[in-house]
Amino acid sequence: MAMTGSVDQSNARIDLVIDWVPVAGTQLIGSVYRRVGDFNAPDEYVRGLYSSPLLGEQAFVSDHEAPLDRQVWYVATAEGTASVLTAGPFTIESS
């Protein structure tokens, strides 16, 4: 399980790729949160994540609301598991 990300400077967004392996035959429900300015900052909800036994276990998330000129970290959690994925810091520079 891993989460990676990159800054799309031209579109002022951060793109995340989240890979996970749910328990066979189950649906995984999770969430992605951003933390601005400090890794220990409060979580800000970005998006829910859902997998299906019939679909792939990879999610793509684009955060179009990440603040400019501030470091941003991301945390992904999955209900019913101890899995917590992190990525960052990322910064979208203002021009």
Side-chain angles (χ1 to χ4, degrees), residues 1 7 11-12 14-15 17 19 24 27 29 43-45 52-54 63-64 66 74-76 94:
M1 295 176 50
V7 175
N11 291 306
I14 298 171
D15 295 321
V17 178
D19 287 303
Q27 181 180 28
I29 300 171
D43 289 340
E44 298 176 7
Y45 180 81
S52 164
L54 303 176
D63 186 2
H64 297 271
Y74 291 89
V75 177
S94 60

Side-chain angles (χ1 to χ4, degrees), residues 8-92:
D8 181 345
Q9 189 67 39
S10 62
N11 291 306
R13 73 176 188 225
I14 298 171
D15 295 321
L16 302 169
V17 178
I18 303 161
D19 287 303
W20 57 36
V21 181
V23 175
T26 64
Q27 181 180 28
L28 185 66
I29 300 171
S31 299
V32 175
Y33 301 92
R34 88 171 71 83
R35 296 176 179 174
V36 178
D38 184 287
F39 181 77
N40 295 312
D43 289 340
E44 298 176 7
Y45 180 81
V46 175
R47 182 180 147 191
L49 300 171
Y50 309 94
S51 74
S52 164
L54 303 176
L55 301 174
E57 291 90 19
Q58 191 172 63
F60 301 92
V61 175
S62 292
D63 186 2
H64 297 271
E65 297 177 6
L68 301 178
D69 298 322
R70 306 264 327 258
Q71 287 188 322
V72 180
W73 287 261
Y74 291 89
V75 177
T77 61
E79 292 180 9
T81 72
S83 299
V84 176
L85 305 177
T86 61
F90 305 99
T91 303
I92 302 171

